[in-house]
């Protein structure tokens, strides 16, 4: 789907809802059909009771609809019915059975529609979130996103399956009830009707006022989830710094605000429902008294009086429900808006006619500058260098000098505007390539490896699910992970826990290296990947790597000079700029920053 058509689809709440209803609409339609059947069958009962009462007392049922009179004639006339009252009972039982069946089907289709809706919506939203750019994720709280994917979808589901669906019951009920009431006694019906705009108007006024409060409540809940989520993922940091009390207070404070908020909201709602009870009670009282007066005057038979009151009570329920539906409309509206905010986020997209060239050529960074949207200054400032295909480039630089950013740009995790320079591989601008193609050819061992809560083997295999066990073993051997794995009781089946918490920092880094080796991509990036292993293991891994990187172009970022001194070319960065460039030997001769760092590190080693 193109971005423009996607965004126009999510421009309005209705458009968003229609989009998510794809797949579940048919079930809701079936549910509505059976709702209508139940409503209709419900409406017949008071008429039968009124008829039975009146025919027993002996009133002439001439005001019955023609087809009913014909039906009565066909079964043997009024006299027959009077003597065979069981026939009427039979009719009532048949109606009850039909009603039960319709009710079952209504509920069944309703539940199916609701659950299908939730399933489709979750899948759509999740898929969209996965395709959103990294910058979007940087500006949104995980807890809040999770809340939108769970409780907001749930709110919309309840609204659709309970409130909106009952609208199809409420409106016909009201129309039918008023029609029947009109046929029984028009003036009395008008009196009953007078209360309706009052009740609907009151509830509309109340609920339009309360809409913003619901939005605020949702936002507060999102903030609360965000704190909980952050604390659960960062539990070790919280413990290590003895910050439990601080975090607990922070959580409790938010929790109290949230609770107070809901209590206030519920108090308002309770007051509303109470006054609503009074209002509808007044309506029923008025109609019952007026009806009694009319009946005593002889304008209304006993049976009709009962039927009229039954219809009036039947009609009051939907009128009151209408208010509740309006209430939930604003609540659901808020939730739809919150999903809409996710859905209008622009997905990462390739340019039209994106290409998929071979990626084994020279890599050229040409006047690359970069600034984060939320950043004040340039993270990279006019960076230009060239890497020969199959060679190794070492990147050295102070913390925050832009090394990782440079690699994220190469992988297009951050998109680079053409105005801010270009990165080409084999002469083709990476912005003109298919992102998936580019990324599948670049193996990144991230500075902070992220492991999933699966087995070690599954983690190593993550980039190439088809890899055989021998390949996994070979990758583990090169990454010097084999020894550690052998020591684990479950070997390759060891469960690594959430984000790899059961592994040491060095083991995590080596798992990440193995992850990449299994793909053997033509471009390999090691972003500070050997920082958590000792110098000796570092040397052993590098040696093993050099035999397996083969013809791949390698980017080696490190703070330890010994890690990258054998690279074909070394780049020294400082505050987003390249300050020195060359081989180890030529940089040593320059007596610049590289030499200074080298001398410092060597002096340190001697001390050790
Ligand atoms: N997502 C981001 N949003 C805003 N600024 C960022 C973001 N990521 C990084 N930065 C900033 O960009 C600068 C360069 O960061 P980068 O991670 O590239 O540094 P680095 O050279 O890899 O440092 P280190 O050696 O510590 O890993 C830093 O000042 C950092 O604060
Ligand atoms: Mg970094």
């Amino acid at each position: 789907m193109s971005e423009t058509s996607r965004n126009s689809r999510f421009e309005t709440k209705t458009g968003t809802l229609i989009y998510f209803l794809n797949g579940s609409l048919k079930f809701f339609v079936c549910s509505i059909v059976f709702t209508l059947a139940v409503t209709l069958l419900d409406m017949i009962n008071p008429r039968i009771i009124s008829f039975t009462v009146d025919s027993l007392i002996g009133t002439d049922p001439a005001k019955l609809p023609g087809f009913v009179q014909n039906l009565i004639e066909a079964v043997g006339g009024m006299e027959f019915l009077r003597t065979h009252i069981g026939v009427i009972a039979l009719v009532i039982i048949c109606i009850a059975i039909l009603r039960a069946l319709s009710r079952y089907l209504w509920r069944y289709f309703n539940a199916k529609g609701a659950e299908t809706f939730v399933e489709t919506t979750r899948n759509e939203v999740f898929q969209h979130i996965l395709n959103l750019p990294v910058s979007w994720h940087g500006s949104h709280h995980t807890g809040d996103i999770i809340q939108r994917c769970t409780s907001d979808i749930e709110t919309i589901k309840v609204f659709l399956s309970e409130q909106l669906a009952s609208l199809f019951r409420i409106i016909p009920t009201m129309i039918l009830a008023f029609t029947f009431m009109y046929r029984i006694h028009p003036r009395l019906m008008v009196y009953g009707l007078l209360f309706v705009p009052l009740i609907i108007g009151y509830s509309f006024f109340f609920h339009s006022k309360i809409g913003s409060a619901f939005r605020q409540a949702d936002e507060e809940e999102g903030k609360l989830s965000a704190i909980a989520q952050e604390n659960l993922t960062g539990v070790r940091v919280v413990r290590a710094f003895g910050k439990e009390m601080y975090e607990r207070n922070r959580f409790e404070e938010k929790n109290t605000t949230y609770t107070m908020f809901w209590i206030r909201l519920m108090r308002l709602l309770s007051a509303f429902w109470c006054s609503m009870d009074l209002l509808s009670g007044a309506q029923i009282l008025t109609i019952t008294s007026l009806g009694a007066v009319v009946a005593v005057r002889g304008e209304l038979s006993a049976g009709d009086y009962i039927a009229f009151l039954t219809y009036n009570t039947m009609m009051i329920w939907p009128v009151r429900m209408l208010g509740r539906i309006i209430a939930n409309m604003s609540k659901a509206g808020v939730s739809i808006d919150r999903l809409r905010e996710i859905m209008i986020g622009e997905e990462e997209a390739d340019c039209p006619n994106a290409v998929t060239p071979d990626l084994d050529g020279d890599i050229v960074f040409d006047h690359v500058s970069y600034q984060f949207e939320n950043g004040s200054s340039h993270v990279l400032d006019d960076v230009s260098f060239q890497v020969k295909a199959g060679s190794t480039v070492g990147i050295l630089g102070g913390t925050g000098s832009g090394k990782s950013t440079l690699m994220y740009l190469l992988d297009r995790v951050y998109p680079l505007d053409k105005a801010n320079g270009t990165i080409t591989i084999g002469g083709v601008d990476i912005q003109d390539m298919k992102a998936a193609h580019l990324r599948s050819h670049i193996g990144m061992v991230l500075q902070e490896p992220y492991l999933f809560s699966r087995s070690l083997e599954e983690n190593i295999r993550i980039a190439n699910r088809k890899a055989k066990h021998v390949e996994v073993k070979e990758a583990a051997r090169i990454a010097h992970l084999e020894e550690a794995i052998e020591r684990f009781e479950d070997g390759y089946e060891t469960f690594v826990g959430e984000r790899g918490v059961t592994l040491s920092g060095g083991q995590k880094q080596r798992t990440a290296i193995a992850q990449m080796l299994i793909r053997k991509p033509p471009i390999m990036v090691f972003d500070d990947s050997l920082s958590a292993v000792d110098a000796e293991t570092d040397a052993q891994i590098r040696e093993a790597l050099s035999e397996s990187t083969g013809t791949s172009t390698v980017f080696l970022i490190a703070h330890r000079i010994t890690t990258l001194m054998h690279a074909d070319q070394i780049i020294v960065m400082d505050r987003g700029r390249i300050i020195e460039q060359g081989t180890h030997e030529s940089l040593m001769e320059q007596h610049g920053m590289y030499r200074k760092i080298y001398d410092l590190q060597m002096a340190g080693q001697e001390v050790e």
Side-chain angles (χ1 to χ4, degrees):
M1 192 194 323
S2 81
E3 280 306 324
T4 8
S5 71
R6 154 174 285 285
N7 279 348
S8 63
R9 183 163 283 172
F10 297 113
E11 227 160 57
T12 59
K13 287 189 188 106
T14 325
T16 312
L17 202 57
I18 290 173
Y19 177 76
F20 286 130
L21 271 171
N22 179 25
S24 51
L25 190 64
K26 53 180 181 287
F27 299 121
F28 283 125
V29 170
C30 286
S31 146
I32 287 166
V33 169
F34 289 106
T35 310
L36 290 176
V38 171
T39 313
L40 213 68
L41 292 167
D42 270 348
M43 284 293 154
I44 298 174
N45 262 342
R47 283 314 268 160
I48 295 178
I49 290 163
S50 135
F51 164 73
T52 315
V53 171
D54 286 348
S55 58
L56 284 179
I57 300 173
T59 317
D60 179 23
K63 45 186 188 309
L64 282 177
F67 79 96
V68 182
Q69 286 182 37
N70 292 343
L71 208 67
I72 294 170
E73 282 312 314
V75 295
M78 286 300 295
E79 254 336 288
F80 174 81
L81 282 185
R82 249 174 229 141
T83 46
H84 296 82
I85 202 83
V87 175
I88 298 178
L90 204 67
V91 172
I92 292 181
I93 290 173
C94 286
I95 289 175
I97 293 173
L98 265 180
R99 188 186 179 281
L101 192 70
S102 303
R103 207 182 145 81
Y104 167 77
L105 289 171
W106 151 36
R107 285 276 162 215
Y108 169 74
F109 282 116
N110 192 280
K112 200 161 163 89
E115 293 317 318
T116 314
F117 170 81
V118 171
E119 188 193 2
T120 323
T121 310
R122 279 211 192 114
N123 283 345
E124 285 284 340
V125 177
F126 186 65
Q127 190 203 331
H128 179 66
I129 289 174
L130 282 186
N131 290 333
L132 283 168
V134 173
S135 57
W136 185 90
H137 287 272
S139 57
H140 288 79
H141 277 295
T142 315
D144 185 51
I145 302 173
I146 291 173
Q147 199 219 0
R148 289 173 196 231
C149 294
T150 50
S151 57
D152 281 311
I153 294 183
E154 195 62 28
T155 307
I156 304 172
K157 174 194 109 170
V158 172
F159 171 70
L160 279 178
S161 65
E162 288 177 21
Q163 276 93 38
L164 199 62
S166 56
L167 212 55
F168 289 91
R169 198 157 168 230
I170 287 170
I171 291 173
T173 306
M174 280 171 67
I175 294 174
L176 286 176
F178 278 117
T179 313
F180 283 125
M181 282 158 80
Y182 182 80
R183 287 176 70 115
I184 296 173
H185 199 285
R187 197 151 37 89
L188 206 52
M189 180 229 106
V190 173
Y191 292 141
L193 196 63
L194 283 179
F195 280 83
V196 170
L198 198 68
I199 296 177
I200 297 179
Y202 175 50
S203 101
F204 181 78
F205 172 77
F206 176 82
H207 290 113
S208 49
K209 286 258 169 259
I210 213 163
S212 63
F214 274 117
R215 188 181 183 98
Q216 208 178 335
D218 264 357
E219 276 166 11
E220 289 297 322
E221 195 186 342
K223 281 184 204 158
L224 196 65
S225 321
I227 296 182
Q229 192 261 343
E230 223 170 55
N231 270 282
L232 291 178
T233 34
V235 65
R236 279 165 195 77
V237 183
V238 174
R239 290 285 157 81
F241 288 98
K243 281 285 184 193
E244 292 97 331
M245 204 56 183
Y246 169 77
E247 290 297 336
R248 203 181 102 183
N249 289 342
R250 205 160 78 99
F251 183 82
E252 279 182 4
E253 198 182 303
K254 265 271 161 286
N255 200 11
T256 311
T257 321
Y258 177 66
T259 311
M260 293 306 293
F261 201 83
W262 265 107
I263 292 175
R264 226 177 44 232
L265 208 59
M266 284 304 131
R267 213 172 51 206
L268 274 174
L269 274 175
S270 303
F272 168 74
W273 285 114
C274 269
S275 47
M276 194 56 124
D277 273 346
L278 279 177
L279 206 59
S280 39
Q283 196 268 1
I284 292 175
L285 189 73
T286 313
I287 295 306
T288 314
S289 328
L290 287 178
V293 173
V294 175
V296 168
R297 270 196 212 143
E299 288 176 33
L300 207 60
S301 71
D304 278 351
Y305 179 53
I306 296 172
F308 194 93
L309 292 188
T310 316
Y311 284 127
N312 186 49
T313 327
M314 269 183 165
M315 163 299 277
I316 274 293
W317 165 81
V319 170
R320 291 187 51 161
M321 271 299 281
L322 218 52
R324 190 152 165 192
I325 289 171
I326 297 169
N328 285 290
M329 231 175 223
S330 52
K331 237 178 109 176
V334 168
S335 291
I336 296 172
D337 262 342
R338 283 163 58 78
L339 285 191
R340 223 163 54 78
E341 277 165 23
I342 294 184
M343 296 310 285
I344 53 175
E346 276 188 27
E347 286 188 2
E348 250 183 2
D350 291 324
C351 67
N353 313 320
V355 289
T356 54
D358 285 339
L359 294 177
D360 49 9
D362 293 356
I363 301 173
V364 179
F365 282 73
D366 188 21
H367 298 287
V368 172
S369 294
Y370 191 73
Q371 183 172 16
F372 284 102
E373 265 173 41
N374 52 354
S376 51
S377 59
H378 275 89
V379 169
L380 292 173
D381 189 6
D382 200 20
V383 173
S384 298
F385 65 96
Q386 190 169 354
V387 186
K388 282 255 161 291
S391 74
T392 296
V393 56
I395 306 179
L396 181 80
T399 165
S401 56
K403 306 180 295 294
S404 298
T405 308
L406 208 56
M407 294 301 106
Y408 282 131
L409 285 174
L410 175 66
D411 206 33
R412 252 176 70 187
V413 172
Y414 305 140
L416 182 68
D417 269 348
K418 294 216 183 213
N420 288 328
T422 53
I423 303 171
T424 56
I425 303 176
V428 185
D429 189 338
I430 59 166
Q431 313 300 331
D432 299 333
M433 297 179 192
K434 279 205 159 78
H437 173 76
L438 175 75
R439 289 177 191 152
S440 68
H441 286 80
I442 301 179
M444 293 261 272
V445 182
L446 298 179
Q447 190 166 13
E448 290 160 18
Y450 185 95
L451 300 183
F452 291 87
S453 46
R454 299 170 199 171
S455 73
L456 247 174
E457 172 143 359
E458 276 177 283
N459 264 294
I460 296 177
R461 230 188 227 146
I462 215 133
N464 179 7
R465 303 213 164 274
K466 292 194 195 105
K468 296 187 190 78
H469 183 65
V470 281
E471 293 174 68
V472 174
K473 274 186 80 161
E474 173 63 6
R477 186 190 64 79
I478 300 169
H480 266 247
L481 190 63
E482 220 176 18
E483 202 185 311
I485 293 177
E486 271 161 20
R487 267 187 277 125
F488 292 140
E489 207 171 288
D490 296 329
Y492 283 90
E493 288 311 311
T494 307
F495 187 71
V496 301
E498 226 177 335
R499 299 180 320 284
V501 283
T502 57
L503 298 183
S504 75
Q507 286 166 347
K508 262 191 274 191
Q509 283 192 334
R510 283 176 283 163
T511 309
I513 294 175
Q515 253 176 8
M516 187 195 66
L517 288 175
I518 214 152
R519 278 202 292 171
K520 298 204 178 62
I523 301 165
M524 297 183 180
V525 175
F526 297 90
D527 188 354
D528 220 3
S529 313
L530 298 167
S531 60
V533 297
D534 56 75
E536 201 182 319
T537 317
D538 177 349
Q540 287 170 349
I541 296 174
R542 266 183 295 114
E543 198 176 316
L545 272 176
S546 64
E547 44 180 89
S548 75
T549 47
T551 55
S552 299
T553 310
V554 177
F555 288 83
L556 199 58
I557 299 176
H559 287 111
R560 206 184 268 150
I561 286 199
T562 49
T563 307
L564 43 72
M565 60 193 269
H566 302 292
D568 301 305
Q569 172 190 194
I570 298 164
I571 288 168
V572 185
M573 290 188 65
D574 183 37
R575 276 171 276 181
R577 288 180 151 270
I578 295 180
I579 50 165
E580 283 166 34
Q581 194 172 358
T583 58
H584 173 69
E585 291 73 26
S586 69
L587 287 170
M588 289 297 281
E589 279 166 20
Q590 278 181 33
H591 288 271
M593 180 65 84
Y594 184 85
R595 178 69 191 247
K596 221 158 94 186
I597 298 170
Y598 178 83
D599 288 344
L600 270 171
Q601 290 188 355
M602 286 306 144
Q605 270 189 10
E606 276 159 27
V607 172
E608 273 173 31

